[in-house]
Structures are given as C-alpha cells and as structure tokens.
C-alpha cells in the first residue's frame, strides 16, 4: 500500500471508530504547522495475508489482523505495529479502542518512555499488542531523533546476532518437503508440533536435511511421560530445545519434565511480561520474548536482562508481522541465544524494508530508530 492509500485508510479507520479523542489523521494537522512539539498518534487496520495457511496444534488461519501505527513529533515519524494472532486475545477492535483512549499529546518529551508505559498500563491492564505498537513507534521516533539504531543505543554488537530459525508448520508430507526446500537459506528449522504425527514430521525433515531443528509444541503435549519420551527422541535428532511442550497451566508437570529432559524447555505461551520471567524460572530453562506479549521493546529489553541475570536462556520470537515489528525485535537480537524472527517472511503484503537474513543470520539494518523504511 502506498502512503496515500495508507493515509486514506487511516482516516477511514478513524471515522469507522467514531473516536472522540484528539488523534490526528496521520499528521494532517501537524503537516500544516511543521514543528508540533507534541506526540501525534495515528493508526490504521491492516490485514496481513499469509503466504501459506498457518497450522498449529490448536488452530489454522490464512490471515492475521494487524494495526499499523505512526507517531509524529516535530515532523519526524516513528512507525509501529500491533499484530493480533487469535490466541493473544486481542483484535482490531480492542487495539483501536485502546489506541483511541490514548492522549499522547500530554507528553511534551518523547523520551519519557517509562512514563508513557505507566500511563498506558493505567488506561488498561492488558492490550499488550496495542501498547507494543505505541512502544515500537516511540522507539523508532527516538532513534531517529538521536540518529542511531537501537542496538547501538543499547550498546549491543550486531555481529553477535544469532541465526534465525525458519518455521515449518504442521502440514501434509508433500507440503512439509516443499517447505524444507524453501527453508534452504536458513541454518535452523523450527518445527511446529502437538498433533499425532509429530515423529512423522521430524522423519520427513530428517530425510531431507541434517540441519538443527528446534521444536515448538504450542502447548500440545498433555502427558508428561510422553513429553519426556519425545524430548529424548528429539535429542537424538539434533534438536536444540523444546518450546512450550505442555499447556501453560501444567506448571508442576512442566517442572517435572524440565528436571528430566535432555533438552532445554523454553516458555512461550506461559509468559507475557516482566513479572512472568521469575515465575517461569521454576519450570522452564528459558523464555521466548515477543514484542506483542511484552508491550514492546522497552519491557522486552528488561526481560532479556532479567532472564540473563537469573541464568536463563533467552529466545526472541515474533508473530506474523510486517518487517516493522520484526526489525524492532531484531534490535535486541545480539542479546539472545536463539532468534525466531521469520514473521515478515510468512506474509505476502509487507509494507516495510528492514531486517535481512544473510547466510541464515539476523542482520540488522544500519538505519536510525528501528531500522525500517516504507516500501
Ligand atoms: Mg511458540
């Protein structure tokens, strides 16, 4: 979508929401006045079209609802995004309703990120993807004001960014073989599990490649003994770790599994924000941080620091998102053990140029802010 259409959709979105709040329709007001000295938030729904149907243990889908966000300040625009896969419990309606309640114009200093997050948490306790969209746009804006990408502001060495895994969803044998071929540029494959044919899926992949895999059961294993047997079976097949093997409610069973498993057990659905990190320590070896869960980059950074201090492994993931949110997450990637930043590669209508995968490795653009430009 070009900028003109995006602006028009933004205006239409604002009309559809009949919001009484003083949100400018994509900077029209500020364009006239030049330097505003105020934060102007605008947003627009944007449905992500998936290249392949996305099949997980508990559901399947071909699109992901998404809201694109801009924050303008003194003529500089920061881009952000909220992606809402169904299991997160957010929707276009809940995100736009939350964003409509915000009045960022009360903050004259865009560097007050901590204060802006406190303000957003007072508005509503949840709405994590909506908060992430504001947080990402703010980081983009601040980085542009400072003229630096966030990995530099955080003092991270981009050469330490890890490989990213490429996701092979649950599918028929032929489609899985095709996806393994598509995944040729990636050094790690992420295998979605949690149905009856888990072993068959791995055997198909192993018939084509020896590259390491990581496994995401998406809460699909309900029996701890069977889960342990799977962990041993996978450990013999060059698997790096298992993500969310059991339902998040089965904390004690997961702790039991973790004590015996030859592979690290990583929390995903179990964990959302900073206070969850310490809670996860009792049953998991590591955490999967995603901006749409953590309310954005500000808290994601704190989660990575805390997890490291607690001696836990850190993984960085994403939803199906445009390159906007995926590149924002990539800024943090030099801090993590494993990255799963392929969400932008799974959609057919990306709006941004940003993160690149070079020889399988996360490569952060050398641009200020979160590092993206509109296509
Ligand atoms: Mg997961």
């Amino acid at each position: 979508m070009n900028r003109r259409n995006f602006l028009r959709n933004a205006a239409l979105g604002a009309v559809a929401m009949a919001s009484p709040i003083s949100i400018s329709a994509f900077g029209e007001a500020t364009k006239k006045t030049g330097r505003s000295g105020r934060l102007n938030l605008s947003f627009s729904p944007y449905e992500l079209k998936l290249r392949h149907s996305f099949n997980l243990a508990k559901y399947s889908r071909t699109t992901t609802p998404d809201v694109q966000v801009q924050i303008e300040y003194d003529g500089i625009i920061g881009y952000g995004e909220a992606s809402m896969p169904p299991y997160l419990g957010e929707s276009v309606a809940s995100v736009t309703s939350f964003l409509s309640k915000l009045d960022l114009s009360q903050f004259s200093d865009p560097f007050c990120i901590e204060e802006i997050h406190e303000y957003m948490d007072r508005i509503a306790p949840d709405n994590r993807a909506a908060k992430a969209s504001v947080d990402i746009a703010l980081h983009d804006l601040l980085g542009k004001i400072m003229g630096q990408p966030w990995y530099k502001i955080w003092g991270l060495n981009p050469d330490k960014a890890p490989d990213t895994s490429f996701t092979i969803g649950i599918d028929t044998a032929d489609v899985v073989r095709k996806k393994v071929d598509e995944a040729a540029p990636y050094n790690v494959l992420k295998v979605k599990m949690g149905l009856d044919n888990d072993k068959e899926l791995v055997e198909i992949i192993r018939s084509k490649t020896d590259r390491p895999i990581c496994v995401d059961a998406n809460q699909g294993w309900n029996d701890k003994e069977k889960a342990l047997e799977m962990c041993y079976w996978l450990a013999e097949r060059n698997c790096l770790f298992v993500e969310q093997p059991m339902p998040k409610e089965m904390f004690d069973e997961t702790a039991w599994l973790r004590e015996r498993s030859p592979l690290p057990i990583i929390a995903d659905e179990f964990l959302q924000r900073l206070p969850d990190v310490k809670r996860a320590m009792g049953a998991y070896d590591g955490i999967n941080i995603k901006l749409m869960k953590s309310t954005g980059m500000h808290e994601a950074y704190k989660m990575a620091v805390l997890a490291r201090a607690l001696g836990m492994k850190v993984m960085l993931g994403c939803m199906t998102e445009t390159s906007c949110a995926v590149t924002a997450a990539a800024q943090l990637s030099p801090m993590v053990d494993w990255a799963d930043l392929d969400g932008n590669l799974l959609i057919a209508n990306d709006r941004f140029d940003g993160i690149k995968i070079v020889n399988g490795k996360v490569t952060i653009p050398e641009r200020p802010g979160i590092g993206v430009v509109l296509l």
Side-chain angles (χ1 to χ4, degrees):
M1 190 189 308
N2 64 29
R3 179 176 159 79
R4 183 176 300 230
N5 286 339
F6 188 48
L7 295 180
R8 190 189 306 135
N9 285 354
L12 289 173
V15 169
M17 287 174 287
S19 163
I21 308 299
S22 59
I23 294 166
S24 67
F26 275 123
E28 286 304 318
T30 50
K31 249 195 273 173
K32 287 173 195 153
T33 55
R35 301 176 75 81
S36 68
R38 288 282 182 275
L39 294 166
N40 295 299
L41 170 69
S42 45
F43 50 88
S44 174
Y46 186 69
E47 188 176 69
L48 305 178
K49 318 273 185 216
L50 306 188
R51 288 184 191 279
H52 297 285
S53 144
F54 196 62
N55 306 322
L56 300 180
K58 299 200 169 181
Y59 65 89
S60 168
R61 64 177 199 271
T62 55
T63 61
T64 301
D66 186 280
V67 173
Q68 297 280 309
V69 167
Q70 288 185 194
I71 295 179
E72 184 274 346
Y73 179 86
D74 268 3
I76 302 173
I77 292 173
Y79 295 103
E81 166 175 28
S83 169
M84 292 86 69
Y87 83 91
L88 276 186
E90 281 192 85
S91 62
V92 168
S94 73
V95 168
T96 51
S97 164
F98 177 85
L99 295 176
S100 299
K101 290 176 193 154
L102 297 183
D103 177 14
L104 296 186
S105 68
Q106 67 186 284
F107 298 98
S108 56
D109 183 354
F111 282 83
C112 295
I113 290 192
E114 185 82 20
E115 224 173 283
I116 293 170
H117 269 284
E118 286 167 9
Y119 164 68
M120 288 199 290
D121 281 339
R122 282 197 302 276
I123 300 265
D126 296 322
N127 292 107
R128 289 180 297 272
K131 292 170 185 174
S133 71
V134 173
D135 169 281
I136 294 167
L138 267 179
H139 278 78
D140 194 31
L141 177 70
L142 298 183
K144 285 171 176 169
I145 291 172
M146 292 186 275
Q148 299 293 340
W150 271 90
Y151 72 83
K152 281 195 180 175
I153 297 166
W154 281 328
L156 305 175
N157 179 353
D159 295 342
K160 295 204 168 162
D163 288 334
T164 187
S165 51
F166 184 83
T167 300
I168 308 285
I170 297 169
D171 227 312
T172 61
D174 280 349
V175 175
V176 168
R177 280 188 203 99
K178 198 168 147 237
K179 284 185 180 173
V180 172
D181 289 338
E182 269 180 41
Y186 302 90
N187 300 322
V188 183
L189 303 181
K190 175 165 172 171
V191 188
K192 294 285 191 179
M193 288 194 167
L195 295 182
D196 294 337
N197 63 344
D198 286 349
K199 286 187 179 175
E200 193 189 328
L201 194 59
V202 173
E203 300 285 18
I204 294 168
I205 293 167
R206 280 288 165 260
S207 73
K208 298 209 50 132
T209 177
D210 292 331
R211 275 172 289 167
I213 59 171
C214 50
V215 160
D216 187 355
N218 285 109
Q219 314 186 75
W221 300 340
N222 291 302
D223 181 322
K224 65 181 183 185
E225 303 277 358
K226 278 191 188 160
L228 182 60
E229 191 262 316
M230 272 305 287
C231 288
Y232 272 102
W233 189 84
L234 288 166
E236 289 168 5
R237 284 159 182 81
N238 198 16
C239 178
L240 302 173
F241 61 86
V242 176
E243 189 183 329
Q244 202 64 54
M246 308 187 75
K248 60 185 178 184
E249 298 79 14
M250 295 178 71
F251 187 86
D252 292 342
E253 290 85 348
T254 307
W256 179 94
L257 174 65
R258 181 240 182 144
E259 271 176 31
R260 293 160 179 79
S261 169
L263 295 176
I265 305 293
I266 307 298
D268 184 7
E269 285 87 343
F270 174 81
L271 151 138
Q272 310 284 337
R273 297 187 60 176
L274 185 61
D276 302 326
V277 176
K278 206 170 170 193
R279 221 159 47 83
M281 200 169 66
Y284 298 87
D285 297 293
I287 60 168
N288 186 353
I289 299 172
K290 294 176 180 170
L291 299 189
M292 295 303 139
K293 300 191 298 178
S294 70
T295 70
M297 298 165 72
H298 188 62
E299 197 154 314
Y301 177 80
K302 294 180 183 180
M303 290 171 76
V305 171
L306 176 58
R308 282 266 169 264
L310 294 171
M312 300 178 83
K313 295 281 189 190
V314 181
M315 176 184 175
L316 188 60
C318 62
M319 309 299 175
T320 42
E321 298 162 354
T322 71
S323 289
C324 177
V326 179
T327 311
Q331 300 289 332
L332 201 62
S333 61
M335 287 183 79
V336 309
D337 299 287
W338 303 296
D340 180 30
L341 295 177
D342 63 350
N344 58 326
L345 304 171
L346 305 177
I347 65 166
N349 57 340
D350 202 347
R351 295 183 62 232
F352 293 93
D353 178 72
I355 178 175
K356 295 280 179 285
I357 307 302
V358 180
N359 299 325
K361 186 175 136 72
V362 173
T363 307
I364 313 171
E366 284 209 40
R367 297 188 187 120
I370 60 170
V372 298
V373 289
L374 271 177
L375 287 170

